[in-house]
Amino acid sequence: MSAVEQKHVTADEAGMRLDRWFKAHYPGLGFGRLQKLLRTGQVRVDGKRVEASTRVAKGQMIRIPPLGVELPADDKKNAKPKSTKLIADDRKAIEEMLLFEDNQVMVLNKPAGLAVQGGSGLKRHLDGMLDAFTDRKGNKPRLVHRLDRETSGIILVARTRQAAQELTKSFRHRNTRKIYWTMLAGVPKPKQGRISTFLARSEAEERMQVVRQGDDDAQHAVSFYSVFEQSAQKLSWVTMKPVTGRTHQLRAHAAHIGHPIIGDDKYFNIENWELPGGIQNRLHLLARRIVIPHPSGHGKIDVSAPLPPHMQQTWNLLGFNASDYDPEADDPDETVIKR
């Protein structure tokens, strides 16, 4: 595409987040690139600057600058289709990840190393694999949220647009309980607490950094944590609960309090710290459990994911038993660690 385009939001697209609208129309456009286009005002809705989380309405006009990415979704009929074998392989891989499924929702256990969405140089990612579940009407399951590529654990997928809207609404209104398991360097003090900061993306380092309120692109981020087990003063098994859903939030918050996540190549900031023998230098972060109202309006979805192999190896080495954890155990107190 070599010129600016203007596209109207259709009735079927009303209520979609802007980033998901772009993902549907321009699958080759990475989330980071979209964020930059939004920050610089190159993407606008009805002539106004907007954010990735902005929800579009029927009839609104979206300004699209030259992107230089893959064909838009409308032109996919001209693109080379996936082979039958690749579709079958993707379907089998998704089925092996399934933790829960009904006619509205799929809950998957994403392995570490699998990207959730496409980006530069990525040929295989979860969103693309979900093409294997597209029905005869062309309806494809929709991702409801994201995990970092190296984070393992629970991902929610909506099987219908209505389910996607209801699940997204639960995230937006914070009616969702998310619990992460992680292994941190050292032992946080106090052992239970609340971390409150403002985060902004550092383009140069491709990571989030703690900034002051009012700084450019600063977004408030709140997390709770609780130490469950520790190995002397060297390592600690910590549960973390994000209240907000910022990019790399838990990773940035763990580093901010001086106890970064083991294996985090972006945020581990302790000089001359040696990894204990037998522990793999991979990100020790698991999206362990989610509790969210079912999109039907009846009951709740409550699903837990097992430890991935590299984390299970660490738990075994340290003598920690995942089955000892009571998911309804004491929540962190209101001690505030903030800047």
Side-chain angles (χ1 to χ4, degrees):
M1 192 167 68
S2 58
V4 172
E5 280 194 346
Q6 304 279 350
K7 283 194 175 184
H8 280 105
V9 177
T10 66
D12 190 49
E13 295 167 340
M16 288 180 73
R17 281 173 54 118
L18 184 61
D19 55 354
R20 295 197 177 102
W21 185 92
F22 267 91
K23 188 62 186 175
H25 287 267
Y26 304 97
L29 181 65
F31 183 73
R33 175 114 186 273
L34 174 61
Q35 287 280 55
K36 187 173 182 179
L37 293 172
L38 289 166
R39 281 196 301 274
T40 56
Q42 295 182 68
V43 168
R44 295 179 180 241
V45 175
D46 284 348
K48 298 179 181 178
R49 288 177 178 258
V50 288
E51 298 181 349
S53 59
T54 299
R55 295 189 177 277
V56 297
K58 177 185 175 183
Q60 284 185 320
M61 182 75 76
I62 300 178
R63 179 190 190 275
I64 304 117
L67 301 177
V69 296
E70 296 176 5
L71 289 171
D74 292 344
D75 294 337
K76 278 188 176 178
K77 60 183 179 227
N78 298 320
K80 184 179 180 181
K82 284 186 177 181
S83 69
T84 302
K85 182 181 185 304
L86 185 56
I87 291 173
D89 288 347
D90 285 348
R91 188 177 189 91
K92 181 180 179 182
I94 294 289
E95 288 172 345
E96 290 175 350
M97 298 179 206
L98 275 172
L99 296 171
F100 170 83
E101 179 185 22
D102 62 18
N103 61 356
Q104 295 187 54
V105 182
M106 300 166 73
V107 183
L108 307 179
N109 179 23
K110 186 191 81 68
L114 176 64
V116 172
Q117 292 180 303
S120 178
L122 281 177
K123 293 184 178 180
R124 197 164 193 246
H125 49 84
L126 185 58
D127 191 36
M129 294 166 68
L130 288 169
D131 287 343
F133 288 81
T134 302
D135 63 23
R136 294 180 179 178
K137 295 181 179 179
N139 297 315
K140 170 189 165 182
R142 298 165 172 82
L143 292 166
V144 179
H145 61 122
R146 290 182 292 271
L147 288 179
D148 298 339
R149 183 174 182 176
E150 296 305 324
T151 301
S152 58
I154 289 176
I155 280 280
L156 275 177
V157 176
R159 304 197 75 150
T160 67
R161 183 176 295 279
Q162 183 177 1
Q165 291 175 345
E166 292 301 318
L167 292 169
T168 301
K169 188 184 302 180
S170 292
F171 276 99
R172 187 168 68 250
H173 294 163
R174 298 179 183 170
N175 294 329
T176 304
R177 187 178 181 207
K178 294 180 288 183
I179 299 174
Y180 288 73
W181 282 4
T182 185
M183 185 68 65
L184 302 187
V187 183
K189 293 182 181 179
K191 289 189 174 181
Q192 294 181 334
R194 177 178 181 266
I195 308 169
S196 175
T197 70
F198 286 84
L199 298 176
R201 183 181 292 275
S202 169
E203 292 294 341
E205 300 177 353
E206 296 184 346
R207 65 196 293 272
M208 303 299 287
Q209 59 185 0
V210 174
V211 297
R212 298 187 181 280
Q213 183 177 6
D215 286 356
D216 289 346
D217 301 320
Q219 292 184 308
H220 192 211
V222 178
S223 307
F224 288 95
Y225 73 88
S226 180
V227 177
F228 189 70
E229 290 270 9
Q230 65 185 78
S231 177
Q233 295 299 310
K234 185 73 172 179
L235 299 166
S236 54
W237 167 10
V238 176
T239 63
M240 299 189 77
K241 302 175 184 179
V243 177
T244 51
R246 310 306 180 200
T247 301
H248 295 180
Q249 176 175 317
L250 298 182
R251 298 166 65 180
H253 273 174
H256 176 66
I257 63 173
H259 300 280
I261 298 173
I262 298 302
D264 193 337
D265 61 354
K266 286 186 180 293
Y267 295 90
F268 201 97
N269 52 9
I270 304 176
E271 292 186 6
N272 302 319
W273 195 91
E274 294 186 4
L275 190 70
I279 295 178
Q280 296 183 47
N281 191 23
R282 300 180 63 188
L283 185 66
H284 282 54
L285 181 61
L286 167 71
R288 162 66 178 177
R289 182 182 179 212
I290 194 164
V291 183
I292 187 170
H294 194 281
S296 66
H298 303 289
K300 292 184 177 181
I301 298 168
D302 185 347
V303 182
S304 296
L307 287 168
H310 71 282
M311 290 180 67
Q312 185 64 66
Q313 179 180 330
T314 300
W315 262 240
N316 293 343
L317 182 70
L318 300 177
F320 295 162
N321 187 350
S323 63
D324 289 342
Y325 179 73
D326 175 6
E328 299 299 337
D330 293 343
D331 283 337
D333 61 20
E334 292 299 311
T335 303
V336 178
I337 301 172
K338 65 180 180 179
R339 174 176 170 181

